[in-house]
C-alpha cells in the first residue's frame, strides 16, 4: 500500500520555506503585539502560536490522502463552503461593522477564507475536464462564472470587499491560465468595458464615494489616506538596516491601524529595514516559485491547475498586502499569508501548502 | 485519468506556465523597487518624519442640528465647551506641567495625575482629557501661560444646550454616550466609542438627521506639539435642523399647569394630527445628561415614584374611565341597540344577577337618553348599553377607535394599551369572561388601559367628524443652509367605526358635558370659546399601594386618576387636548381646568378669526357662573 516514492518525492523545499515564513511571522507579530504598548497583547501571540500548530496539522492531513479524490469531492466541498457563507449571514458575529465570523464553540472561523480554496478546487475540476488548446468559449465559461459569482456576492454582502475581489482575481487567473478563446476574450473584455459605466450609473451616491475612496485613499485623508501615510512613514523610516527588534516607533504609537493583521508588513519593514524586508520578499518569491514548480512537474491537468490556483492565491495576497502597505495599491483588508494574525488565514494557507505537497509527492502516479 | 489526456496534454500547460512565471517576476520586481525607493532613497526623509512623530490627526466634531418649535423659537442649540487635554509625550517634565496646571484649573494634582495614569494603556502620544467644559476664567489663565504648559491643549467642542430647562424634556429627549451594545448594532454603524447619541425622544428618533458629519485635519506638528502645517482638511458638516409641531408658549403653559402633580397634558390639531404640546410631569433637566450624571443622580431619577423619566403622554397606561363612554356610545348607536331617543332609567344602581353595580351619582339620573348620559356621565345607562353590545363587539369598536394599538407617533417606547376581550382573558388568566366584567369595561374600568395620546387621537377623530390622524411631532427638517429637506404631511390612518349621524350625537353629548347646567365639566367653560369634552375618574388598582407606604402616601395612592379630554371651538375644532392627573381625584376638578387653560391660551393667542366665531357661542352662556380655578 505504502509507496516509498511518496517520501522521495516529498517537497522539503516547500516545507522549509513555509516554516521559515511562519517563524518570521511570529517574530513580526511579537513586535506588533508587544512593542511600546503599556498593555502588551501577549494573548495574540500565544493564540497565533496555537493556530500555527493547528495549521501544521491541517497541512499534514492535506497531503496524506491522494489529492485526486478532491476532483470527485469538488462539488461537495463547494456546497459546504457556500453553506457556511450563508450561515454567516444568519448567525454570523458582527465585528467592526461587518459580519464575517462564525462562532463554533471556543473558535471563530471565517468561512470566506475556506471558500477561496473551494473555488480553486471546483474550477480546477471544471477546467481540467474540458480544457482544450483552442481555449474556452463564452458558453463554456458560464459555469465557472457562476461558481465565482455566488461566493463573490455572499462575501461582498458581509461586507468584505478585499476577499471578494481576491476570489475574482484567483478565478480570473485560473481562467486565463486555462486559456480563453481569442474571440471570447475580446467579447468579455468589451462587455466589461461597456458594463462598468452602466453599473456606475446605477450606483447610489455613497456607494460611488466608497469606491472612489478605495481607488484613491487621498480622498479620505482622515481614514484610509492617513493610514497609508503612516504606513509609508513606518516602512521608509526603517531605512537600510531597520530600527531593530521591538524598536519600531510607528508601531508603538498605535499609528498603524490593524498593525497585527493588514499592516504587519509595515511593522516588520520598520524594524528590519531594507535588508530584512528583502529577505521576507525573497522567501515569498521562492515559495511562489516552488508552487509553480509543483505545477510544472505535475503530469496531469487537475493537479497542474490546482497548483496554479493555489499559487495564484498566495501571489495575489502577497502582492496586494505588501503593495498596499507601500502605497502602490488601494487600501484593502487582505492578510499577508503566514504572517498576519488570524487563525482562519493561517490554517487555510497551511492547508493549501499541504495540497501543493500532495500534488508534488504523487506526481509519479501518472504515467 | 485517460479522459483528460484526450484534450490537452501536460506539455501544453507547461508552456503556459512560462507566462505565469513572467507575471510573478514583474510583480516582485515592482515590490522590490518600491521597497528600495521607500527605504533607501526616501529613507532619511521618512526617518525624520517618524522621529518627530509629526503627522497627527485632529478631529473636529460636527455641530448637532438645532431644534425649534413650530414658530421657529429655539428649543435646543449648541454652545462652545472648552475642553482641556494633555499630550503626555509633549508635556515634559510632566510633574512640573501638572503642578502649574492644577493651580490654574483648581483641580488637585492628584486627580489630574490619576486621569493620566488611567489612560496610560492607550498611548502617550494621544491627548488625554483632563477636564471638560472649563470656565472662561480658567481658559484665559491657560491661554496666557500657554508657553509654560507644553503639551496642554484646549479644544473647542460644541456642547448640547437645552434652552428651556425642564420644558418638553420628554418629547425632545436627551443625549448620552454611545454604549457597547449600540456600537455593535447596525443602526449606529460608523459611530465610535465616546460619541454622543440621542438616547430618548426627538434626539433619538431623528438622530440620523441631527448628527451631522465629523470632520478633521491631518496636521504636521513640531516637537512641542504645536501645529506647523495643515496637510489636509475635511470640514465637519453640521447636522440638520428640526422644526417640531409644538408651540413653545403652549408647551410652557402646559408644564406650568402640571407643576406639582404627576400626569400628562397633550394637545394637537384635530384636523391634521400635529401635536401642539406634549407635557409629562414631573419633568427633568436634560442639561445634566450632557455633562454625564453620577450614579446617584441617575438612580434618584429612575427610582423616583413619580417616574420623571417616563413620557406619560405616550408610555403610561391608565384605565380610561368615563372617557371610554364615547366608545360605548358609538358601539350602542352603531349596533342599533340604542338611538338618540332610547331612554333608560337610572335609579342610582343597576342589578345584574345578584350583583349591584352603582352609578357614581347616588340618587340616580332618572330618565336618561344618550346625549344626557354622556353629559352627566351616567354609569347605569352605559352598563345597559355595554351589556347589550357584549364584550367582543365592544372590543371591536374600541380597536376601531384606535385603542389597543400604538398611534404610530414617531417616538420611542410608545405603549399599546389594552382592549380586553373574552378570548384574551381566557388566555391570560384561564378564567372565562364574567358578564359583570362587561359592565365595568363599558364604563372604562376593568382591564381597559389607554395612553393619553390614544385618547387625544380619539377625541380629535370625534371632533373632525371621524378621521383618525396619525399624530406627528415633526414639521420640517431643514439643512444648515435653510433648505427644506423634509416636510411632514398630515396622514389619515383610519376612520372611526361610526356614521356621521352617530358622531353628531356623540358630539352633542360632549358639548353638553361642558355647556349645560348638569354637565360634568361645567368648570371648563371659558367666556368666548365653546368647548366640548369628556371627564373621567379612573379607579386605581390597589397594587399601586405598597405595605411600606405611610398613611399619607397610601391615601394619595388610593385617589383615582383624573381625566379630561376636550376639543374647541365646538363647531370648528382647532385644538384637542387630553389631560390626565394621577391621583387627581375628579376629572372635573383636577384635569378639566388644565385643559381649559390650554385651550384658552391657544385660541386667544393669535387667531382673531376664531375669537370672533367663538364670541357668537358665548352669548348662550351669559348669566351662568364661570368657574375660575
Amino acid at each position: 500500500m505504502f509507496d516509498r516514492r511518496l517520501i522521495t518525492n516529498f517537497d522539503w523545499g516547500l516545507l522549509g520555506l513555509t516554516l521559515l515564513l511562519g517563524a518570521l511571522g511570529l517574530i513580526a507579530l511579537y513586535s506588533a503585539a508587544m512593542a511600546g504598548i503599556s498593555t502588551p497583547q501577549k494573548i495574540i501571540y500565544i493564540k497565533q502560536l496555537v493556530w500555527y500548530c493547528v495549521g501544521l496539522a491541517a497541512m499534514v492531513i492535506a497531503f496524506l490522502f491522494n489529492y485526486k479524490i478532491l476532483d470527485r469531492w469538488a462539488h461537495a466541498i463547494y456546497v459546504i463552503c457556500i453553506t457556511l457563507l450563508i450561515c454567516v449571514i444568519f448567525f454570523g458575529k458582527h465585528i467592526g461593522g461587518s459580519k464575517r465570523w462564525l462562532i463554533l464553540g471556543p473558535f471563530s472561523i471565517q468561512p470566506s477564507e475556506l471558500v477561496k480554496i473551494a473555488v480553486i478546487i471546483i474550477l480546477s475540476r471544471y477546467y481540467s475536464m474540458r480544457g482544450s488548446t483552442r481555449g474556452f468559449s463564452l458558453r463554456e465559461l458560464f459555469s465557472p462564472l457562476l461558481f465565482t459569482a455566488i461566493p463573490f456576492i455572499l462575501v461582498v454582502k458581509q461586507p468584505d470587499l478585499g476577499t471578494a475581489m481576491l476570489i475574482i482575481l484567483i478565478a480570473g487567473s485560473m481562467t486565463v491560465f486555462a486559456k480563453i478563446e481569442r474571440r471570447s476574450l475580446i467579447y468579455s473584455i468589451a462587455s466589461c468595458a461597456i458594463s462598468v459605466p452602466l453599473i456606475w450609473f446605477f450606483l447610489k451616491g455613497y456607494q460611488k464615494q466608497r469606491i472612489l475612496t478605495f481607488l484613491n485613499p487621498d480622498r479620505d485623508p482622515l481614514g484610509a489616506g492617513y493610514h497609508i501615510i503612516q504606513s509609508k512613514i513606518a516602512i521608509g523610516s526603517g531605512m537600510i538596516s531597520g530600527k531593530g527588534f521591538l524598536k519600531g516607533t510607528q508601531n508603538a504609537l498605535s499609528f498603524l491601524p490593524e498593525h497585527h493583521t493588514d499592516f504587519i508588513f509595515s511593522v516588520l519593514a520598520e524594524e528590519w529595514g531594507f535588508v530584512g524586508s528583502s529577505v521576507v520578499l525573497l522567501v515569498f518569491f521562492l515559495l511562489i516559485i516552488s508552487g509553480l514548480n509543483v505545477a510544472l512537474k505535475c503530469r496531469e491537468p487537475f493537479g497542474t491547475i490546482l497548483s496554479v490556483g493555489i499559487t495564484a492565491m498566495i501571489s495575489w495576497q502577497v502582492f496586494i498586502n505588501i503593495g498596499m502597505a507601500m502605497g502602490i495599491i488601494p487600501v484593502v483588508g487582505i492578510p499577508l499569508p503566514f504572517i498576519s494574525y488570524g487563525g482562519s488565514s493561517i490554517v487555510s494557507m497551511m492547508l493549501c501548502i499541504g495540497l501543493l505537497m500532495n500534488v508534488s509527492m504523487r506526481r509519479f502516479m501518472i504515467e | 485519468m485517460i479522459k483528460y489526456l484526450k484534450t490537452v496534454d501536460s506539455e501544453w500547460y507547461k508552456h503556459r506556465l512560462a507566462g505565469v512565471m513572467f507575471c510573478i517576476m514583474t510583480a516582485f520586481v515592482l515590490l522590490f523597487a518600491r521597497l528600495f525607493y521607500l527605504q533607501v532613497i526616501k529613507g532619511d526623509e521618512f526617518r525624520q518624519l517618524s522621529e518627530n512623530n509629526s503627522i497627527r490627526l485632529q478631529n473636529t466634531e460636527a455641530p448637532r442640528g438645532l431644534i425649534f418649535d413650530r414658530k421657529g423659537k429655539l428649543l435646543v442649540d449648541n454652545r462652545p465647551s472648552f475642553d482641556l487635554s494633555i499630550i503626555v509625550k509633549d508635556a515634559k517634565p510632566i510633574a512640573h506641567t501638572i503642578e502649574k496646571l492644577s493651580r490654574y484649573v483648581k483641580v488637585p494634582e492628584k486627580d489630574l495625575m490619576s486621569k493620566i495614569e488611567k489612560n496610560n494603556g492607550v498611548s502617550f502620544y494621544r491627548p488625554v482629557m483632563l477636564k471638560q467644559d472649563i470656565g472662561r476664567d480658567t481658559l484665559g489663565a491657560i491661554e496666557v501661560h500657554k508657553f509654560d504648559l507644553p503639551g496642554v491643549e484646549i479644544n473647542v467642542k460644541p456642547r448640547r444646550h437645552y434652552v428651556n430647562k425642564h420644558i418638553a424634556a420628554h418629547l425632545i429627549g436627551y443625549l448620552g454616550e454611545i454604549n457597547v451594545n449600540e456600537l455593535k448594532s447596525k443602526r449606529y454603524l460608523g459611530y465610535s466609542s465616546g460619541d454622543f447619541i440621542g438616547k430618548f425622544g426627538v434626539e433619538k428618533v431623528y438622530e440620523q438627521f441631527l448628527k451631522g458629519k465629523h470632520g478633521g485635519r491631518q496636521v504636521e506638528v513640531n516637537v512641542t506639539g504645536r501645529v506647523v502645517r495643515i496637510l489636509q482638511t475635511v470640514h465637519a458638516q453640521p447636522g440638520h435642523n428640526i422644526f417640531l409641531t409644538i408651540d413653545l408658549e403652549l408647551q410652557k403653559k402646559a408644564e406650568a399647569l402640571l407643576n406639582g402633580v404627576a400626569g400628562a397634558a397633550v394637545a394637537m390639531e384635530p384636523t391634521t394630527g400635529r401635536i401642539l404640546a406634549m407635557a409629562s410631569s414631573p419633568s427633568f433637566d436634560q442639561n445634566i445628561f450632557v455633562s454625564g450624571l453620577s450614579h446617584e443622580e441617575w438612580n434618584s431619577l429612575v427610582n423616583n415614584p413619580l417616574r420623571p423619566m417616563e413620557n406619560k403622554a405616550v408610555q403610561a397606561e391608565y384605565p380610561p374611565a368615563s372617557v371610554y363612554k364615547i366608545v360605548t356610545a358609538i358601539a350602542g348607536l352603531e349596533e342599533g341597540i340604542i338611538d338618540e331617543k332610547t331612554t333608560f332609567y337610572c335609579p342610582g344602581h343597576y342589578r345584574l344577577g345578584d350583583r349591584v353595580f352603582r352609578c357614581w351619582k347616588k340618587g340616580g339620573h332618572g330618565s336618561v337618553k344618550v346625549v344626557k348620559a354622556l353629559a352627566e356621565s351616567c354609569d347605569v345607562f352605559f352598563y345597559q348599553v355595554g351589556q347589550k353590545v357584549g364584550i367582543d363587539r365592544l372590543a371591536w369598536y374600541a380597536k376601531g377607535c384606535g385603542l389597543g394599538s400604538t398611534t404610530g407617533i414617531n417616538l420611542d417606547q410608545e405603549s399599546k394599551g389594552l382592549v380586553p376581550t373574552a378570548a384574551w382573558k381566557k388566555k391570560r388568566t384561564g378564567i372565562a369572561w364574567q358578564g359583570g366584567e362587561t359592565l365595568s369595561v363599558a364604563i372604562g374600568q376593568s382591564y381597559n388601559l389607554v395612553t393619553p395620546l390614544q385618547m387625544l387621537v380619539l377625541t380629535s377623530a370625534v371632533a373632525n367628524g371621524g378621521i383618525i390622524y396619525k399624530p406627528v411631532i415633526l414639521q420640517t427638517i431643514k439643512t444648515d443652509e435653510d433648505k427644506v429637506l423634509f416636510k411632514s404631511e398630515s396622514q389619515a390612518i383610519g376612520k372611526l367605526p361610526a356614521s356621521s349621524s352617530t358622531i353628531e350625537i356623540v358630539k352633542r353629548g360632549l358639548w353638553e358635558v361642558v355647556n349645560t347646567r348638569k354637565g360634568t365639566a361645567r368648570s371648563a367653560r371659558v367666556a368666548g370659546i365653546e368647548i366640548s369634552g369628556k371627564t373621567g375618574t379612573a379607579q386605581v388598582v390597589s397594587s399601586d399601594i405598597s405595605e411600606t407606604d405611610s398613611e399619607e402616601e397610601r391615601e394619595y395612592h388610593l385617589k383615582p386618576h383624573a381625566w379630561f379630554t376636550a376639543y374647541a371651538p365646538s363647531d370648528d375644532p382647532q385644538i384637542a387636548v387630553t389631560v390626565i392627573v394621577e391621583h387627581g381625584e375628579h376629572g372635573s376638578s383636577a384635569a378639566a381646568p388644565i385643559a381649559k387653560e390650554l385651550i384658552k391660551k391657544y385660541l386667544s393667542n393669535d387667531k382673531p378669526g376664531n375669537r370672533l366665531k367663538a364670541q357668537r357661542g358665548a352669548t348662550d352662556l351669559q348669566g351662568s357662573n364661570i368657574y375660575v380655578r
Side-chain angles (χ1 to χ4, degrees):
Chain A
M1 191 67 199
F2 186 76
D3 196 325
R4 270 197 59 232
R5 284 176 296 179
L6 282 177
I7 303 281
T8 47
N9 281 310
F10 189 79
D11 201 328
W12 297 101
L14 258 179
L15 180 67
L17 289 169
T18 308
L19 292 179
L20 184 56
L21 273 176
L24 291 174
L26 273 178
I27 298 169
L29 190 73
Y30 188 82
S31 276
M34 312 289 266
I37 306 170
S38 51
T39 48
Q41 300 159 281
K42 201 168 183 179
I43 184 78
I44 282 186
Y45 180 72
I46 292 171
K47 268 186 170 174
Q48 184 81 336
L49 206 58
V50 172
W51 281 118
Y52 272 121
C53 297
V54 177
L56 280 175
M59 187 168 87
V60 172
I61 292 166
F63 68 65
L64 282 181
F65 62 91
N66 187 336
Y67 71 91
K68 278 168 213 135
I69 62 164
L70 288 179
D71 191 11
R72 231 177 304 142
W73 287 94
H75 287 100
I77 294 170
Y78 183 78
V79 169
I80 290 170
C81 286
I82 294 294
T83 313
L84 283 176
L85 270 188
I86 293 171
C87 286
V88 171
I89 295 176
F90 294 108
F91 318 111
K93 188 173 152 200
H94 264 289
I95 298 177
S98 61
K99 235 180 179 182
R100 302 178 186 177
W101 285 265
L102 265 188
I103 310 294
L104 297 176
F107 298 103
S108 52
I109 62 162
Q110 218 177 327
S112 54
E113 286 292 333
L114 296 175
V115 89
K116 289 188 290 190
I117 306 179
V119 169
I120 292 173
I121 294 175
I122 201 163
L123 290 184
S124 300
R125 174 189 154 89
Y126 187 87
Y127 290 142
S128 61
M129 272 172 69
R130 293 157 201 247
S132 73
T133 47
R134 96 186 132 78
F136 287 90
S137 69
L138 276 184
R139 242 186 46 197
E140 290 168 312
L141 284 177
F142 180 75
S143 301
L145 188 68
L146 200 67
F147 291 145
T148 315
I150 295 170
F152 173 78
I153 290 166
L154 289 173
V155 175
V156 163
K157 283 265 169 210
Q158 291 183 349
D160 183 351
L161 228 58
T163 307
M165 209 183 62
L166 202 60
I167 293 173
I168 295 275
L169 287 174
I170 294 167
S173 309
M174 291 176 72
T175 309
V176 170
F177 178 72
K179 198 174 176 186
I180 309 175
E181 220 177 41
R182 183 184 296 271
R183 226 178 36 180
S184 307
L185 189 65
I186 294 169
Y187 282 150
S188 44
I189 290 173
S191 60
C192 278
I194 293 166
S195 63
V196 164
L198 265 180
I199 292 171
W200 184 255
F201 185 75
F202 283 110
L203 286 178
K204 296 198 182 87
Y206 74 93
Q207 288 168 321
K208 286 183 190 171
Q209 291 302 318
R210 201 178 290 168
I211 292 173
L212 285 174
T213 306
F214 171 76
L215 294 175
N216 177 16
D218 275 345
R219 285 177 54 93
D220 180 18
L222 309 178
Y226 180 70
H227 297 161
I228 283 300
I229 286 197
Q230 293 298 348
S231 173
K232 270 156 64 175
I233 292 176
I235 295 173
S237 67
M239 298 177 75
I240 294 176
S241 54
K243 292 178 185 167
F245 186 54
L246 294 184
K247 300 249 171 64
T249 53
Q250 288 291 109
N251 167 38
L253 303 181
S254 57
F255 270 161
L256 283 178
E258 311 283 330
H259 53 190
H260 49 266
T261 55
D262 297 345
F263 281 94
I264 188 113
F265 184 78
S266 320
V267 174
L268 166 167
E270 183 183 17
E271 298 192 347
W272 303 348
F274 183 69
V275 178
S277 320
S278 301
V279 169
V280 174
L281 272 185
L282 195 70
V283 177
F284 271 120
F285 182 70
L286 292 176
L287 182 83
I288 288 164
I289 296 302
S290 310
L292 289 184
N293 193 36
V294 172
L296 189 71
K297 295 236 176 86
C298 177
R299 279 177 283 177
E300 56 86 26
F302 179 72
T304 305
I305 299 178
L306 185 68
S307 312
V308 168
I310 290 170
T311 312
M313 173 173 83
I314 298 172
S315 313
W316 278 119
Q317 287 195 223
V318 169
F319 183 69
I320 292 174
N321 179 286
I322 297 180
M324 171 196 70
M326 297 198 293
I328 51 176
I329 279 180
V331 180
V332 219
I334 283 183
L336 186 60
F338 310 104
I339 294 191
S340 285
Y341 172 71
S344 295
S345 164
I346 293 289
V347 173
S348 72
M349 278 298 158
M350 300 285 241
L351 200 74
C352 286
I353 295 295
L355 289 179
L356 282 180
M357 291 171 167
N358 195 334
V359 176
S360 167
M361 62 205 262
R362 289 188 173 78
R363 58 177 181 249
F364 62 88
M365 287 183 164
I366 302 125
E367 297 309 329
Chain B
M1 290 307 126
I2 309 296
K3 65 180 176 187
Y4 293 147
L5 301 175
K6 274 184 197 159
T7 46
V8 279
D9 64 353
S10 46
E11 281 307 311
W12 183 78
Y13 279 122
K14 274 173 195 156
H15 221 75
R16 298 190 66 75
L17 275 173
V20 178
M21 190 63 214
F22 176 76
C23 296
I24 300 279
M25 293 283 265
T26 316
F28 272 87
V29 166
L30 204 62
L31 289 182
F32 269 109
R34 179 68 175 180
L35 193 65
F36 186 80
Y37 171 79
L38 288 179
Q39 296 195 301
V40 180
I41 298 176
K42 289 274 191 169
D44 275 326
E45 211 174 290
F46 282 125
R47 176 67 64 97
Q48 200 91 51
L49 282 172
S50 91
E51 266 161 16
N52 293 343
N53 156 43
S54 46
I55 312 286
R56 299 221 183 132
L57 214 52
Q58 296 179 333
N59 288 320
T60 45
E61 228 166 272
R64 203 172 163 84
L66 310 180
I67 302 177
F68 299 90
D69 86 336
R70 58 163 47 203
K71 290 174 183 156
K73 285 191 190 134
L74 188 64
L75 301 174
V76 187
D77 69 349
N78 307 296
R79 61 177 180 79
S81 148
F82 299 95
D83 299 343
L84 181 71
S85 55
I86 191 166
I87 296 180
V88 180
K89 176 208 164 237
D90 297 334
K92 278 177 182 149
I94 181 92
H96 186 67
T97 310
I98 289 292
E99 186 217 313
K100 270 197 239 154
L101 201 57
S102 113
R103 231 181 302 143
Y104 301 134
V105 197
K106 298 181 185 73
V107 173
E109 273 174 63
K110 202 168 64 209
D111 295 3
L112 294 178
M113 275 320 270
S114 77
K115 279 200 176 142
I116 291 172
E117 272 152 26
K118 225 196 293 174
N119 278 279
N120 237 350
V122 186
S123 163
F124 65 108
Y125 292 83
R126 292 232 176 113
V128 175
M129 175 73 68
L130 291 181
K131 190 165 192 258
Q132 287 190 6
D133 205 14
I134 55 172
R136 297 249 170 201
D137 299 346
T138 319
L139 174 71
I142 290 172
E143 280 297 318
V144 170
H145 300 92
K146 192 160 93 178
F147 293 99
D148 264 3
L149 300 164
V152 171
E153 281 187 353
I154 289 181
N155 292 305
V156 192
K157 260 197 194 165
R159 200 176 168 84
R160 207 60 165 162
H161 176 229
Y162 299 92
V163 180
N164 306 288
K165 228 181 174 180
H166 298 293
I167 301 299
H170 302 90
L171 178 67
I172 294 169
Y174 51 84
L175 300 183
E177 201 173 326
I178 191 164
N179 67 32
V180 184
N181 290 329
E182 285 159 337
L183 268 177
K184 275 189 204 149
S185 83
K186 255 202 168 140
R187 190 185 153 106
Y188 297 108
L189 219 69
Y191 284 75
S192 43
S193 67
D195 283 350
F196 273 71
I197 56 167
K199 290 273 184 172
F200 190 68
V202 167
E203 292 271 32
K204 180 173 183 185
V205 290
Y206 295 110
E207 166 73 22
Q208 52 163 327
F209 296 103
L210 288 167
K211 74 171 178 199
K213 227 173 145 186
H214 291 222
R217 300 189 302 178
Q218 235 184 57
V219 295
E220 195 177 322
V221 294
N222 65 13
V223 189
T224 61
R226 307 257 167 244
V227 174
V228 287
R229 200 151 61 97
I230 297 168
L231 300 175
Q232 303 249 31
T233 309
V234 173
H235 292 288
Q237 286 171 16
H240 302 313
N241 298 333
I242 286 197
F243 290 74
L244 299 177
T245 58
I246 64 165
D247 179 315
L248 178 60
E249 293 310 314
L250 192 68
Q251 178 75 30
K252 277 184 176 165
K253 182 88 188 173
E255 311 253 0
L257 289 166
L258 283 173
N259 191 19
V261 299
V266 229
M268 84 182 200
E269 290 177 352
T271 49
T272 62
R274 292 202 189 100
I275 297 290
L276 292 166
M278 183 183 280
S280 178
S281 178
S283 189
F284 58 91
D285 181 6
Q286 301 136 284
N287 288 307
I288 60 173
F289 288 90
V290 179
S291 35
L293 67 180
S294 70
H295 215 65
E296 293 83 56
E297 285 175 300
W298 172 252
N299 279 340
S300 80
L301 276 174
V302 172
N303 297 332
N304 186 330
L306 298 180
R307 313 186 310 284
M309 298 301 291
E310 181 185 62
N311 185 351
K312 295 189 175 73
V314 298
Q315 286 175 259
E317 298 172 325
Y318 305 96
S322 300
V323 182
Y324 189 84
K325 287 171 184 163
I326 297 172
V327 176
T328 312
I330 288 175
L333 289 162
E334 284 297 310
E335 293 283 289
I337 284 157
I338 51 168
D339 60 24
E340 206 185 339
K341 300 197 187 83
T342 311
T343 311
F344 290 117
Y345 183 75
C346 168
H349 58 84
Y350 180 68
R351 197 178 290 275
L352 179 76
D354 54 356
R355 280 188 68 188
V356 175
F357 290 81
R358 307 209 159 278
C359 185
W360 67 270
K361 194 172 176 186
K362 272 194 189 134
H365 290 94
S367 292
V368 192
K369 294 186 183 116
V370 61
V371 170
K372 184 182 171 192
L374 282 169
E376 299 178 20
S377 205
C378 174
D379 291 336
V380 169
F381 183 90
F382 289 103
Y383 286 147
Q384 297 179 61
V385 175
Q387 192 195 349
K388 292 192 168 108
V389 172
I391 182 62
D392 289 336
R393 286 308 286 166
L394 201 54
W396 186 83
Y397 280 97
K399 283 176 183 161
C401 288
L403 307 183
S405 56
T406 55
T407 63
I409 193 170
N410 196 1
L411 280 176
D412 230 22
Q413 300 167 23
E414 189 187 359
S415 298
K416 284 208 303 209
L418 177 63
V419 173
T421 60
W424 169 83
K425 190 196 169 191
K426 182 83 187 159
K427 199 173 151 198
R428 180 69 182 274
T429 62
I431 302 164
W433 190 263
Q434 311 289 310
E437 287 172 325
T438 309
L439 269 53
S440 298
V441 168
I443 61 153
Q445 291 294 153
S446 184
Y447 303 105
N448 266 326
L449 287 175
V450 298
T451 66
L453 187 64
Q454 284 174 330
M455 274 313 172
L456 180 67
V457 171
L458 170 57
T459 308
S460 297
V462 170
N464 69 33
I467 302 165
I468 299 175
Y469 283 104
K470 181 169 147 181
V472 289
I473 49 172
L474 178 74
Q475 187 161 283
T476 42
I477 300 179
K478 288 184 183 173
T479 64
D480 183 36
E481 280 129 9
D482 232 28
K483 208 179 88 194
V484 176
L485 267 188
F486 176 80
K487 208 171 155 112
S488 81
E489 314 234 322
S490 62
Q491 197 185 336
I493 49 170
K495 267 189 70 67
L496 290 182
S499 66
S500 51
S501 64
T502 297
I503 292 173
E504 275 317 307
I505 293 167
V506 171
K507 283 175 93 166
R508 215 164 325 131
L510 299 188
W511 183 84
E512 289 200 1
V513 167
V514 184
N515 297 298
T516 55
R517 204 169 49 81
K518 284 190 171 171
T520 54
R522 289 179 309 281
S523 58
R525 268 177 296 178
V526 180
I529 301 166
E530 268 195 355
I531 299 175
S532 300
K534 183 76 197 80
T535 54
T537 301
Q539 302 304 324
V540 178
V541 191
S542 53
S543 68
D544 274 16
I545 306 153
S546 75
E547 293 294 316
T548 53
D549 283 349
S550 69
E551 194 65 27
E552 206 174 298
E553 278 171 340
R554 197 170 302 183
E555 200 179 310
Y556 170 78
H557 281 307
L558 279 170
K559 283 183 186 170
H561 299 320
W563 279 103
F564 188 61
T565 188
Y567 60 90
S570 297
D571 55 350
D572 175 27
Q574 305 282 321
I575 179 173
V577 180
T578 298
V579 176
I580 183 150
V581 176
E582 288 185 8
H583 308 294
E585 274 206 281
H586 295 297
S588 53
S589 59
I594 296 177
K596 177 184 81 175
E597 289 299 320
L598 287 177
I599 289 169
K600 207 166 92 183
K601 168 98 192 162
Y602 182 70
L603 292 181
S604 60
N605 242 355
D606 44 12
K607 296 208 166 98
N610 291 332
R611 215 178 296 161
L612 270 177
K613 223 182 274 173
Q615 208 77 47
R616 193 162 30 85
T619 46
D620 304 342
L621 287 173
Q622 268 171 7
S624 54
N625 289 327
I626 290 171
Y627 181 95
V628 182
R629 198 190 185 198

